[in-house]
Amino acid sequence: MPEEVSNRMEVEQKKNLDIRGLVCPYTFVKAKLAIEDMELGGVLEIVLDYPEAVHNIPKSMQDHGQKVLKVEQTGPKEWVIVVRKEKD
Amino acid sequence: MEFTDAQIQRYSRHIILPEVGGKGQKKLLGAKVLLVGAGGLGCPVGYYLAAAGVGTIGIVDDDVVELSNLQRQIAHSTNTIGMPKVESAKRTFEALNSDVNVVAMKGRLTKDNITGIIEKYDLVIDGSDNFPTRYLVNDACVLSRKPLVSGAILRFEGQVTTLIPYEGHCYRCLFEAPPPPGLVPSCQEAGVLGVLPGVIGALEATEALKIILGQGELLKNALLIYNALSASFRKVKVPRNPKCPVCGENPTITELQDYDAGYCQMG
Ligand SMILES: [Zn+2]
């Protein structure tokens, strides 16, 4: 049933990670550690303020087999990256 | 366990490797490795394992630090001359990384104590400089089914191999018995380029980390030979010998024996 499927999507694990104030490579190190601890299919929302990492984190996440769902600027010096875990 | 901020910084270049990650780093921190020898090979092996965050490093060695060691045994120093090598190495490794617990055992491995010692560790690294110990460690690791990384150096040439008992070859599949003492040059006669144990020890440490992490291809059924003068590596296949006296089909060595320690004492 399609409804059941969408219900299951609802309970997918979500996690927030605030790495404002961190610089490379610790931005990615923290993000990677957070995603390692999640279930497959879980969604991680990362808030950051280090401009270089806005490009680096999505690229590294993709290299490691994860799916980048969104990269969005949310303030003059603030971004949100949303990643779904697709690989252990 | 959770990483501290200091650990995240210290191991960051491991954590960002897909093949290691936080999970692999935790495996390293939980691993127990036994080093046989705190000399030319044991020093760089232990140094890199300590840097990598291998949580427990046991070291067995009976010697004290001498001035003539310092040309190659980089864990010791002018300040630790006269100190047991295991103690000198423990200080160096724990100063590099306080996450590491170094268990210093001053003494010799014998047929009576070796099994009890190696059973506390996940794997063994042989950096011994003599055949009696090399064969004793091989036989004990085979009989206890303990992975063993083995290295040897002489003059400008060194070799590394990894023994996974009953899966791959063992040292006796390669060389059935120790050579007679008279045919073997003693360490003092032979000489060794000081940097050579650094190369071979780093290769041994690499194999150990791969075993702990479960990554890559090991030097199983293979011997890697490095020649410093020709700047060349050779990888030689070493099949398991069905007639091997210790790991073969009808083993004749079913309990440990000590060999004469008459090899490396002249000069
Ligand atoms: Zn064998």
Side-chain angles (χ1 to χ4, degrees), chain B residues 104-142:
Chain B
M105 291 168 271
K106 185 179 184 310
R108 260 174 210 291
L109 290 174
T110 67
K111 67 177 172 51
D112 299 316
N113 68 17
I114 187 169
T115 306
I117 292 173
I118 66 175
E119 73 184 6
K120 299 191 185 81
Y121 294 86
D122 304 318
L123 65 111
V124 179
I125 303 183
D126 188 4
S128 66
D129 58 359
N130 63 83
F131 284 101
T133 305
R134 186 169 298 275
Y135 278 81
L136 178 67
V137 170
N138 176 77
D139 295 353
C141 285
V142 171

Short mmCIF file of all heavy atoms in Angstrom, two decimals, chain B residues 104-142:
data_model
loop_
_atom_site.label_atom_id
_atom_site.label_comp_id
_atom_site.label_asym_id
_atom_site.label_seq_id
_atom_site.Cartn_x
_atom_site.Cartn_y
_atom_site.Cartn_z
N ALA B 104 54.82 -3.06 29.01
CA ALA B 104 56.25 -3.35 28.85
C ALA B 104 56.59 -4.66 29.54
O ALA B 104 56.36 -4.81 30.74
CB ALA B 104 57.08 -2.20 29.42
N MET B 105 57.12 -5.62 28.79
CA MET B 105 57.50 -6.92 29.36
C MET B 105 58.98 -7.16 29.10
O MET B 105 59.37 -7.53 27.99
CB MET B 105 56.66 -8.04 28.73
CG MET B 105 55.19 -8.01 29.13
SD MET B 105 54.16 -9.11 28.11
CE MET B 105 53.73 -7.99 26.77
N LYS B 106 59.79 -6.91 30.13
CA LYS B 106 61.22 -7.17 29.95
C LYS B 106 61.48 -8.65 30.18
O LYS B 106 61.19 -9.18 31.25
CB LYS B 106 62.06 -6.34 30.94
CG LYS B 106 63.55 -6.50 30.68
CD LYS B 106 64.41 -5.69 31.61
CE LYS B 106 65.90 -5.79 31.25
NZ LYS B 106 66.40 -7.15 31.07
N GLY B 107 61.99 -9.29 29.13
CA GLY B 107 62.26 -10.72 29.26
C GLY B 107 62.28 -11.36 27.90
O GLY B 107 62.23 -10.68 26.87
N ARG B 108 62.37 -12.67 27.89
CA ARG B 108 62.43 -13.43 26.65
C ARG B 108 61.18 -14.27 26.48
O ARG B 108 60.63 -14.76 27.46
CB ARG B 108 63.62 -14.42 26.73
CG ARG B 108 64.82 -13.94 26.02
CD ARG B 108 66.00 -14.88 26.24
NE ARG B 108 67.22 -14.09 26.18
CZ ARG B 108 67.69 -13.53 25.07
NH1 ARG B 108 67.05 -13.70 23.92
NH2 ARG B 108 68.79 -12.81 25.08
N LEU B 109 60.76 -14.43 25.25
CA LEU B 109 59.69 -15.39 24.98
C LEU B 109 60.29 -16.79 24.98
O LEU B 109 61.33 -17.02 24.39
CB LEU B 109 59.06 -15.09 23.62
CG LEU B 109 58.21 -13.81 23.53
CD1 LEU B 109 57.77 -13.58 22.09
CD2 LEU B 109 57.00 -13.89 24.45
N THR B 110 59.60 -17.69 25.66
CA THR B 110 60.03 -19.09 25.68
C THR B 110 58.84 -19.96 25.34
O THR B 110 57.70 -19.49 25.31
CB THR B 110 60.55 -19.49 27.07
OG1 THR B 110 59.44 -19.47 27.98
CG2 THR B 110 61.63 -18.55 27.57
N LYS B 111 59.11 -21.24 25.13
CA LYS B 111 58.01 -22.16 24.82
C LYS B 111 57.00 -22.22 25.97
O LYS B 111 55.84 -22.54 25.76
CB LYS B 111 58.54 -23.55 24.49
CG LYS B 111 59.19 -24.29 25.67
CD LYS B 111 59.60 -25.70 25.21
CE LYS B 111 60.43 -26.45 26.23
NZ LYS B 111 59.92 -26.53 27.59
N ASP B 112 57.46 -21.89 27.18
CA ASP B 112 56.57 -22.00 28.33
C ASP B 112 55.71 -20.75 28.55
O ASP B 112 54.62 -20.85 29.09
CB ASP B 112 57.38 -22.27 29.60
CG ASP B 112 58.13 -23.59 29.48
OD1 ASP B 112 57.51 -24.57 29.02
OD2 ASP B 112 59.34 -23.63 29.83
N ASN B 113 56.20 -19.55 28.14
CA ASN B 113 55.41 -18.35 28.43
C ASN B 113 54.69 -17.77 27.21
O ASN B 113 53.77 -16.96 27.35
CB ASN B 113 56.29 -17.27 29.10
CG ASN B 113 57.36 -16.69 28.17
OD1 ASN B 113 57.29 -16.83 26.95
ND2 ASN B 113 58.35 -16.03 28.75
N ILE B 114 55.10 -18.16 26.01
CA ILE B 114 54.62 -17.42 24.82
C ILE B 114 53.12 -17.57 24.60
O ILE B 114 52.42 -16.58 24.29
CB ILE B 114 55.43 -17.80 23.55
CG1 ILE B 114 55.02 -16.90 22.38
CG2 ILE B 114 55.27 -19.26 23.18
CD1 ILE B 114 55.92 -17.00 21.16
N THR B 115 52.58 -18.76 24.81
CA THR B 115 51.15 -18.96 24.52
C THR B 115 50.29 -18.11 25.43
O THR B 115 49.32 -17.48 24.99
CB THR B 115 50.79 -20.46 24.65
OG1 THR B 115 51.69 -21.21 23.83
CG2 THR B 115 49.37 -20.73 24.21
N GLY B 116 50.65 -18.06 26.71
CA GLY B 116 49.91 -17.25 27.67
C GLY B 116 49.97 -15.77 27.36
O GLY B 116 49.03 -15.02 27.64
N ILE B 117 51.09 -15.33 26.76
CA ILE B 117 51.22 -13.91 26.43
C ILE B 117 50.42 -13.58 25.17
O ILE B 117 49.63 -12.64 25.15
CB ILE B 117 52.71 -13.52 26.26
CG1 ILE B 117 53.43 -13.60 27.62
CG2 ILE B 117 52.85 -12.11 25.68
CD1 ILE B 117 54.93 -13.42 27.55
N ILE B 118 50.60 -14.36 24.11
CA ILE B 118 49.95 -13.96 22.84
C ILE B 118 48.44 -14.11 22.90
O ILE B 118 47.73 -13.44 22.15
CB ILE B 118 50.52 -14.69 21.59
CG1 ILE B 118 50.23 -16.18 21.61
CG2 ILE B 118 51.98 -14.42 21.40
CD1 ILE B 118 50.68 -16.87 20.32
N GLU B 119 47.92 -14.94 23.79
CA GLU B 119 46.46 -15.10 23.81
C GLU B 119 45.74 -13.83 24.27
O GLU B 119 44.55 -13.66 24.00
CB GLU B 119 46.05 -16.31 24.67
CG GLU B 119 46.20 -16.10 26.15
CD GLU B 119 45.87 -17.38 26.96
OE1 GLU B 119 45.65 -18.45 26.33
OE2 GLU B 119 45.86 -17.31 28.18
N LYS B 120 46.46 -12.90 24.91
CA LYS B 120 45.84 -11.64 25.34
C LYS B 120 45.77 -10.61 24.20
O LYS B 120 45.24 -9.52 24.39
CB LYS B 120 46.65 -11.02 26.49
CG LYS B 120 46.73 -11.89 27.73
CD LYS B 120 47.30 -11.09 28.90
CE LYS B 120 47.51 -11.94 30.14
NZ LYS B 120 48.78 -12.72 30.08
N TYR B 121 46.35 -10.93 23.03
CA TYR B 121 46.44 -9.94 21.94
C TYR B 121 45.69 -10.42 20.70
O TYR B 121 45.48 -11.62 20.52
CB TYR B 121 47.91 -9.67 21.63
CG TYR B 121 48.59 -8.98 22.79
CD1 TYR B 121 49.15 -9.71 23.84
CD2 TYR B 121 48.61 -7.59 22.89
CE1 TYR B 121 49.72 -9.09 24.94
CE2 TYR B 121 49.18 -6.96 23.97
CZ TYR B 121 49.73 -7.70 25.00
OH TYR B 121 50.29 -7.07 26.08
N ASP B 122 45.31 -9.44 19.86
CA ASP B 122 44.59 -9.77 18.63
C ASP B 122 45.53 -10.24 17.53
O ASP B 122 45.18 -11.03 16.68
CB ASP B 122 43.83 -8.54 18.10
CG ASP B 122 42.88 -7.97 19.14
OD1 ASP B 122 42.22 -8.77 19.83
OD2 ASP B 122 42.82 -6.73 19.27
N LEU B 123 46.73 -9.67 17.53
CA LEU B 123 47.71 -10.08 16.53
C LEU B 123 49.11 -9.80 17.04
O LEU B 123 49.30 -9.05 18.00
CB LEU B 123 47.47 -9.38 15.19
CG LEU B 123 47.65 -7.88 15.14
CD1 LEU B 123 48.87 -7.52 14.32
CD2 LEU B 123 46.44 -7.24 14.50
N VAL B 124 50.08 -10.43 16.37
CA VAL B 124 51.47 -10.36 16.81
C VAL B 124 52.31 -9.79 15.67
O VAL B 124 52.04 -10.08 14.50
CB VAL B 124 51.98 -11.78 17.17
CG1 VAL B 124 53.44 -11.74 17.62
CG2 VAL B 124 51.10 -12.41 18.26
N ILE B 125 53.28 -8.95 16.03
CA ILE B 125 54.22 -8.44 15.03
C ILE B 125 55.63 -8.85 15.45
O ILE B 125 56.07 -8.52 16.55
CB ILE B 125 54.13 -6.91 14.90
CG1 ILE B 125 52.69 -6.52 14.54
CG2 ILE B 125 55.11 -6.43 13.84
CD1 ILE B 125 52.52 -5.04 14.32
N ASP B 126 56.28 -9.57 14.56
CA ASP B 126 57.62 -10.05 14.88
C ASP B 126 58.66 -9.07 14.36
O ASP B 126 58.78 -8.86 13.16
CB ASP B 126 57.84 -11.44 14.27
CG ASP B 126 59.14 -12.06 14.74
OD1 ASP B 126 59.83 -11.44 15.60
OD2 ASP B 126 59.49 -13.15 14.26
N GLY B 127 59.40 -8.49 15.29
CA GLY B 127 60.52 -7.65 14.92
C GLY B 127 61.77 -8.17 15.58
O GLY B 127 62.68 -7.42 15.90
N SER B 128 61.82 -9.48 15.79
CA SER B 128 62.97 -10.07 16.47
C SER B 128 64.13 -10.17 15.50
O SER B 128 63.96 -10.15 14.29
CB SER B 128 62.62 -11.44 17.03
OG SER B 128 62.37 -12.34 15.98
N ASP B 129 65.33 -10.27 16.07
CA ASP B 129 66.53 -10.25 15.23
C ASP B 129 67.21 -11.61 15.20
O ASP B 129 68.36 -11.72 14.83
CB ASP B 129 67.50 -9.18 15.75
CG ASP B 129 67.90 -9.44 17.19
OD1 ASP B 129 67.40 -10.43 17.78
OD2 ASP B 129 68.71 -8.66 17.73
N ASN B 130 66.50 -12.68 15.60
CA ASN B 130 67.18 -13.97 15.64
C ASN B 130 66.23 -15.10 15.28
O ASN B 130 65.01 -15.00 15.46
CB ASN B 130 67.81 -14.20 17.01
CG ASN B 130 66.74 -14.26 18.10
OD1 ASN B 130 66.15 -15.31 18.32
ND2 ASN B 130 66.48 -13.14 18.75
N PHE B 131 66.81 -16.17 14.75
CA PHE B 131 66.00 -17.27 14.25
C PHE B 131 65.27 -18.05 15.35
O PHE B 131 64.12 -18.44 15.14
CB PHE B 131 66.86 -18.21 13.39
CG PHE B 131 67.12 -17.63 12.03
CD1 PHE B 131 68.33 -17.02 11.73
CD2 PHE B 131 66.13 -17.68 11.06
CE1 PHE B 131 68.55 -16.48 10.48
CE2 PHE B 131 66.35 -17.13 9.80
CZ PHE B 131 67.56 -16.53 9.51
N PRO B 132 65.90 -18.31 16.50
CA PRO B 132 65.15 -19.07 17.52
C PRO B 132 63.82 -18.40 17.87
O PRO B 132 62.79 -19.05 17.91
CB PRO B 132 66.11 -19.07 18.71
CG PRO B 132 67.46 -18.94 18.12
CD PRO B 132 67.30 -18.07 16.91
N THR B 133 63.85 -17.08 18.06
CA THR B 133 62.60 -16.37 18.40
C THR B 133 61.64 -16.39 17.23
O THR B 133 60.44 -16.61 17.38
CB THR B 133 62.92 -14.91 18.79
OG1 THR B 133 63.87 -14.94 19.85
CG2 THR B 133 61.67 -14.19 19.26
N ARG B 134 62.16 -16.17 16.02
CA ARG B 134 61.32 -16.13 14.83
C ARG B 134 60.52 -17.44 14.66
O ARG B 134 59.33 -17.43 14.38
CB ARG B 134 62.22 -15.91 13.61
CG ARG B 134 61.52 -15.72 12.30
CD ARG B 134 62.53 -15.25 11.25
NE ARG B 134 63.10 -13.97 11.63
CZ ARG B 134 62.52 -12.81 11.37
NH1 ARG B 134 61.39 -12.78 10.71
NH2 ARG B 134 63.07 -11.69 11.76
N TYR B 135 61.22 -18.57 14.86
CA TYR B 135 60.53 -19.86 14.70
C TYR B 135 59.59 -20.13 15.87
O TYR B 135 58.50 -20.69 15.68
CB TYR B 135 61.55 -21.00 14.49
CG TYR B 135 61.98 -21.05 13.04
CD1 TYR B 135 62.96 -20.19 12.56
CD2 TYR B 135 61.37 -21.91 12.14
CE1 TYR B 135 63.33 -20.19 11.22
CE2 TYR B 135 61.74 -21.92 10.80
CZ TYR B 135 62.71 -21.06 10.35
OH TYR B 135 63.06 -21.05 9.01
N LEU B 136 60.01 -19.75 17.06
CA LEU B 136 59.12 -19.93 18.22
C LEU B 136 57.83 -19.13 18.04
O LEU B 136 56.72 -19.63 18.27
CB LEU B 136 59.85 -19.50 19.50
CG LEU B 136 59.02 -19.58 20.79
CD1 LEU B 136 58.71 -21.04 21.13
CD2 LEU B 136 59.75 -18.89 21.95
N VAL B 137 57.97 -17.88 17.61
CA VAL B 137 56.79 -17.01 17.42
C VAL B 137 55.90 -17.57 16.31
O VAL B 137 54.68 -17.62 16.44
CB VAL B 137 57.23 -15.56 17.10
CG1 VAL B 137 56.05 -14.71 16.67
CG2 VAL B 137 57.92 -14.93 18.32
N ASN B 138 56.53 -18.03 15.22
CA ASN B 138 55.75 -18.63 14.13
C ASN B 138 54.93 -19.82 14.64
O ASN B 138 53.72 -19.90 14.42
CB ASN B 138 56.68 -19.10 13.01
CG ASN B 138 55.94 -19.81 11.90
OD1 ASN B 138 55.29 -19.18 11.07
ND2 ASN B 138 55.99 -21.14 11.88
N ASP B 139 55.61 -20.74 15.31
CA ASP B 139 54.93 -21.96 15.75
C ASP B 139 53.81 -21.63 16.74
O ASP B 139 52.72 -22.18 16.66
CB ASP B 139 55.93 -22.93 16.39
CG ASP B 139 56.97 -23.43 15.38
OD1 ASP B 139 56.83 -23.12 14.17
OD2 ASP B 139 57.93 -24.10 15.80
N ALA B 140 54.09 -20.71 17.66
CA ALA B 140 53.08 -20.35 18.66
C ALA B 140 51.87 -19.69 18.00
O ALA B 140 50.73 -19.97 18.36
CB ALA B 140 53.69 -19.41 19.71
N CYS B 141 52.12 -18.82 17.02
CA CYS B 141 51.00 -18.14 16.36
C CYS B 141 50.19 -19.14 15.54
O CYS B 141 48.96 -19.06 15.51
CB CYS B 141 51.50 -16.99 15.48
SG CYS B 141 51.99 -15.56 16.46
N VAL B 142 50.85 -20.07 14.86
CA VAL B 142 50.10 -21.09 14.10
C VAL B 142 49.25 -21.91 15.06
O VAL B 142 48.04 -22.06 14.87
CB VAL B 142 51.05 -21.99 13.29
CG1 VAL B 142 50.28 -23.17 12.70
CG2 VAL B 142 51.73 -21.19 12.17
#
